[in-house]
Amino acid sequence: MEISDQNSDIIYLGEDELPINDVCINDVSFHFECGGNDIPGTSQQQGNGTINVELLGEQFYDGGDEEDEEDDVIPWDHTPDVVLAKIASYLTQWDKSEMSLVCKNWNRVILAAPRLWRHRIIRLRGNFKDRSHVNYANILGRFLSRLHLSSGLRSLRHARKFQRTFTAIFAELYRQRVQLKELSLTELKFHVHFRGVPGGRARQGIIRSARRFLGRQAKLRYLDLNYGGMTCEEGTALLQAASEKSSRVLKALDIEELFRPGAPVHQSSEFAETLPRFVNLVQLTMNYSALSDELLTNLARESNGLLEFFHVRCIRGENLNHIVGTPAWRAFSGRMSKCQLEFSLIGVIRLNDIQRVLTPQMPLQILSVVGHNDDSFQPDRTLKYISRYLNNTVEKVVIDVTPCYKLYGRGFIDIIRDSPRLRHLEVRGRIRWHVIHDVFEFLDVNFVRRGVRPPLTTLRMLVTSTPIEPYEEEAFVIEEYRPVFSRFDLMYELVIEPMFFPLPLEFREPRRVHN
């Protein structure tokens, strides 16, 4: 029998009434299944004046003597250690430190829980605030398994202070024989913050401390050295130290912009021999300036073929004068059969540069071209080049170069028609409605009418328009074919956005073509 009463002092059980004193019941349902005069959930039978009702882990007593409410409050110093450690696990690093200062018991529990101090994010600025990080390494450094250290320097005056703090942290970790699983040393920017005589001495101390610490790491699985700005010798020395004991356990390596811009790293045979020492790499991220035929050949010959993701970033201003030949890519793809190759061209928009970087018949699967257009970008010819030489492997293409003055034409149709594995295409530019119509007509005739799902599952067109260009026809094309492709759950989208950049002086509005 379920009975719910609000603001009442009596609970009705059948035909009997049992008074309960000093209990306020608000929107609470009690369920009793009783037989005879016995009341389940009570310590005695009806009439003895004692009721024990258990609700949500709490007990309410009535009858006999009244107890003081303060006796029911459990003091915090009696909280189990497991509960305190669990509460502290949800707090930030600063809050955990503050919590450990409440009392001796909390200090003992929190500082003795290793899982609370496994991960540490340090940003050194070369001032007095960095002392807290040194104290952390002294007291809790033995618990570390993941360390992410970055630079927040704003002036060359603090380079020596930064170096002393950096050296003190890693010297303490080295003394305690700490074995990390993840290590990130990012944004050091040696070419900016460590110049001149004082900066040169500071960078030598940093490299020396990092090399000594990396040379002892035998469990390192992830190493991130982004934005180091080092010379070829300095960066190679760090990789050599890391390969002494972690060559077979390291799974992910990120050396994007490890070397300073313009450094001819691809000419270094020492670097080409050092990187393949990590034989069990699964993820690798690097710059095109460090890529060479010798490096690909060594990777294919010495690695175990476990590489699954290879990301190459090509940034404007880097050394792009070298060409990685097709034989080296064939040897690499033959060994790394499961590898997904991705190229990101950032600011590299000239067709000559794109043709130099993207070698014909290379196993490219993901390509992104982004940057600001200085009226040298040729979108249609770029798509034609991809559809002619990279069509057998490419799966995703993203082109976002603004402002785009030239039009997409036959190249937009060719890459969809000639790339059987293309599943994602995203372009930003100026496209005529008859080109979009031809693309949808090709998909409709070759796939939809046959009841086959098109391989191109995501098509996003961000069409830039000028005040003199109405785009009603393009919108009508999308609406015409939308019901046809909706049953395949395809992500086809047309976004028309205004062009905020002025057109070049030599621009002439092309004559509109109507079918």
Side-chain angles (χ1 to χ4, degrees), residues 59-261:
Q59 293 184 348
F60 301 89
Y61 297 92
D62 176 75
D65 299 331
E66 295 183 358
E67 299 181 359
D68 190 4
E69 295 181 358
E70 296 181 358
D71 296 339
D72 296 336
V73 178
I74 301 177
W76 277 101
D77 55 355
H78 292 172
T79 305
D81 296 353
V82 178
V83 177
L84 285 177
K86 184 65 175 179
I87 295 173
S89 64
Y90 295 101
L91 303 179
T92 61
Q93 296 179 359
W94 177 263
D95 293 335
K96 283 186 291 188
S97 301
E98 292 292 321
M99 184 177 176
S100 64
L101 300 177
V102 173
C103 62
K104 293 183 179 180
N105 184 45
W106 286 20
N107 184 274
R108 175 188 60 81
V109 173
I110 294 176
L111 296 185
R115 64 187 183 92
L116 298 179
W117 312 103
R118 298 291 190 194
H119 183 202
R120 182 71 175 183
I121 300 176
I122 298 176
R123 187 167 180 84
L124 299 181
R125 293 177 172 84
N127 53 27
F128 66 95
K129 296 181 180 180
D130 296 341
R131 186 60 191 176
S132 61
H133 302 303
V134 179
N135 296 334
Y136 178 92
N138 294 335
I139 301 173
L140 301 169
R142 64 186 184 278
F143 298 142
L144 272 178
S145 63
R146 294 183 297 167
L147 176 61
H148 298 267
L149 189 147
S150 60
S151 171
L153 281 177
R154 297 179 179 271
S155 175
L156 296 175
R157 297 178 302 172
H158 306 301
R160 291 291 292 175
K161 295 181 180 179
F162 178 94
Q163 180 261 323
R164 294 190 187 99
T165 306
F166 185 97
T167 302
I169 292 174
F170 280 92
E172 187 63 31
L173 298 180
Y174 182 86
R175 182 185 65 82
Q176 299 181 24
R177 299 182 180 273
V178 176
Q179 293 292 327
L180 299 179
K181 293 183 179 179
E182 297 183 10
L183 176 61
S184 297
L185 300 177
T186 61
E187 301 182 18
L188 296 180
K189 298 180 181 179
F190 279 5
H191 63 295
V192 177
H193 297 144
F194 299 90
R195 295 174 296 173
V197 176
R201 294 177 180 176
R203 67 192 297 167
Q204 291 176 4
I206 293 174
I207 294 295
R208 183 167 54 251
S209 299
R211 288 185 59 184
R212 187 178 68 164
F213 181 76
L214 286 172
R216 180 175 284 184
Q217 299 305 301
K219 299 181 180 180
L220 199 61
R221 298 175 58 87
Y222 174 79
L223 179 60
D224 185 1
L225 300 174
N226 274 334
Y227 305 104
M230 306 177 187
T231 62
C232 183
E233 293 76 12
E234 293 171 341
T236 305
L238 287 183
L239 294 177
Q240 289 176 348
S243 65
E244 291 181 5
K245 294 186 177 181
S246 299
S247 59
R248 294 189 174 276
V249 297
L250 194 69
K251 298 297 182 182
L253 178 62
D254 192 344
I255 54 174
E256 177 189 347
E257 297 191 35
L258 169 63
F259 306 98
R260 64 186 180 186

